[in-house]
Amino acid sequence: EELKKNFDILSQHKSNRYNSYNGQVESLTEWRLSLGPKREGKLIIPSFEYEGNFSEAIEIEVTAQAKQQAAQDIFVLVELDKSRAHVQEQIIYTQKLYTALSLSSFDPEVLELANARVELLSQYDYQTRLDGRRYAVVELRYAIFPQRSGQLQIPSLRWVAQVSSGRRNVFDPFGNSNSRLHRLQTEAKSLTVLPKPSDANGAWLPASELQLQQSWSQDPDQFTQGEPITRTISIRAKGLTAAQLPALGTDPKQQLQQQLKIYPEQPKLEDDKTAEGIVGQRQIIEAIIPTKPGTITLPALQLRWWNTNSRSWQTSTLAEQTIEVKPNAAAASQIIAPASEPALISDAGQPSPSAKAAEPSATVNAPAAQAWFAWGYSLLATLALIGLGFLYWRQHQQLQALQAQLPQRVPAKEPSDPEPKAQLMKIESEINDGNWPRAYALTQHFLRPWQSHPSYQSELSSSGLAQMLEQFAGALYSDGAANLEAIDKRELLGKLEHIQQSLNAKTPGEQQALPPLYPV
């Protein structure tokens, strides 16, 4: 560990051999290490201990690399696509290794920043010409998302490149070529991170391009009462991850509850990494069931975002949509009087007054007959549901009686905290009061009893809750620059309840101990 403070261990090799001299056998163990100093000046190679024996410490003088020759044959350049950016805005950081020599391997230092999220976008090789000389280029591109305003410092990074001479060492039993190590340093960079604009209300979405689109499973003009139709709302943004995109819905203000039933599915989040940056996409899928015939107006959906190219606000919109809902065919069926019904004839051979009064009744009472038919249909459906409910209750009672005869089940391990619903109500209350740190702490406390569960991590990822918690934490600790209001309260509470119920169902030891199939 002492050695690693001042040196990179580029390679290490251990060998054993035996010497025989005048009948005496001597064993030798040899370690060979290739070291790369991390800085200039006087450095100490520390003493090593082996079986009670100590080596001597070695002091060496490290001087600056002769840059002229290195700059001609092999060198590294770094680029930033912008010198100023807002909080959570994407910054593209590029490293390029140029070499005119035969490169056998290279090892770049990993980019890590304390106050920013870093994503590796791409790594590829190509050839180019500089000043008439051909170079092979290794290019690495990163996407950086700063989480705090102020100055963002990107440190100098080390590259270790191994260049082959093309000649083989005849003394090497493995026949490896002679090679030379080049240790290179990138230039440190600094950029200014601005807070979000003062007029940023709602979701803070800094992107170079944002598209808001929708699709339907069938023609939305063909809505029918009681029949579902699927609506997919897609948000696609260049320069944002899917976790940064907000949740939208058909009825954001819940004004259509008397006309529609909406059943949202789990949103689909996808990040597409390209050389130009990350393209995040969020798909909101909803099953919509109209409950009444007539005209329904779906409200317009708008998403205000910050254009990082023009440095201005823009709005993407899905226009308001008017839909006609047709009545259900069963409810709209008409009752027609039989044509063979005999007419009432008076003794004089003329239609009786009662018959004349009955003639228009088929037309006048047709709506009433339809209403009676619909009422009868609803009554039958209600009676059927009551019958099914009775059968379910009876089977449940029989199942309880059977379970009472079985051996005692092993109780599942339950958290000692209050009821989950009470905890969720407390989280919702803190969010409504604007106490976001307290809401985040309660969320972590809610999940703590399940963190030791074998399926916890997989459930956290598959449900999308991991990405949402990451968004929550990024917004909370972004020095006021992130937008906490963009967090969907209902979606968060729904995911918490889902993972609690799912893990509770999978709790080890929950299976009942059934009696043997063939008792002795």
Side-chain angles (χ1 to χ4, degrees), residues 33-288:
L33 284 77
S34 296
L35 304 179
K38 294 182 177 179
R39 58 184 177 86
E40 301 174 15
K42 290 185 178 181
L43 303 180
I44 300 294
I45 299 177
S47 173
F48 292 92
E49 184 268 339
Y50 180 69
E51 294 185 354
N53 298 313
F54 293 86
S55 66
E56 294 183 1
I58 303 174
E59 183 182 55
I60 61 172
E61 181 76 23
V62 180
T63 59
Q65 184 182 13
K67 296 183 179 180
Q68 174 128 15
Q69 181 64 31
Q72 292 177 358
D73 295 336
I74 182 170
F75 58 94
V76 179
L77 295 179
V78 293
E79 299 173 357
L80 286 172
D81 68 335
K82 57 191 73 172
S83 59
R84 295 163 62 90
H86 285 277
V87 167
Q88 296 184 343
E89 178 181 341
Q90 178 181 259
I91 302 162
I92 304 299
Y93 174 72
T94 306
Q95 300 184 59
K96 296 180 180 180
L97 171 67
Y98 290 83
T99 176
L101 306 175
S102 177
L103 197 66
S104 59
S105 66
F106 61 89
D107 183 19
E109 185 179 0
V110 176
L111 175 63
E112 294 180 345
L113 300 175
N115 296 322
R117 178 180 176 180
V118 180
E119 295 281 351
L120 177 62
L121 296 176
S122 62
Q123 175 182 324
Y124 54 94
D125 309 333
Y126 58 91
Q127 291 188 349
T128 188
R129 283 186 175 273
L130 291 178
D131 298 328
R133 190 176 184 186
R134 183 180 296 276
Y135 286 89
V137 183
V138 178
E139 181 174 305
L140 300 179
R141 287 200 177 192
Y142 295 87
I144 301 175
F145 296 90
Q147 300 299 312
R148 293 181 182 272
S149 58
Q151 289 297 120
L152 179 63
Q153 304 293 335
I154 302 177
S156 174
L157 301 175
R158 294 188 302 274
W159 281 68
V160 178
Q162 188 169 14
V163 177
S164 175
S165 65
R167 295 175 296 180
R168 294 191 176 277
N169 185 350
V170 296
F171 298 102
D172 188 345
F174 299 100
N176 294 323
S177 300
N178 291 324
S179 61
R180 180 182 178 186
L181 290 176
H182 289 262
R183 303 182 73 255
L184 309 168
Q185 295 282 132
T186 65
E187 179 186 1
K189 291 287 186 178
S190 175
L191 60 93
T192 302
V193 180
L194 305 172
K196 65 179 180 180
S198 58
D199 58 345
N201 299 320
W204 167 237
L205 303 172
S208 60
E209 181 181 331
L210 189 144
Q211 297 176 347
L212 186 59
Q213 298 175 334
Q214 68 174 346
S215 62
W216 298 85
S217 60
Q218 63 190 59
D219 187 352
D221 294 335
Q222 302 299 319
F223 266 45
T224 302
Q225 177 188 5
E227 295 184 3
I229 186 171
T230 301
R231 185 188 193 187
T232 301
I233 302 171
S234 298
I235 311 172
R236 184 177 176 86
K238 292 183 178 180
L240 291 174
T241 64
Q244 293 175 273
L245 300 177
L248 294 178
T250 297
D251 189 15
K253 297 183 180 180
Q254 299 184 354
Q255 298 175 338
L256 303 175
Q257 293 183 352
Q258 300 300 321
Q259 298 172 289
L260 296 174
K261 295 294 184 182
I262 301 175
Y263 301 93
E265 297 182 11
Q266 186 74 20
K268 295 182 179 180
L269 307 180
E270 181 180 353
D271 288 332
D272 184 17
K273 295 182 180 181
T274 68
E276 287 73 31
I278 292 180
V279 180
Q281 178 170 289
R282 184 186 188 105
Q283 283 190 336
I284 301 98
I285 304 173
E286 297 175 324
I288 302 175

Side-chain angles (χ1 to χ4, degrees), residues 275 465-466:
L465 183 58

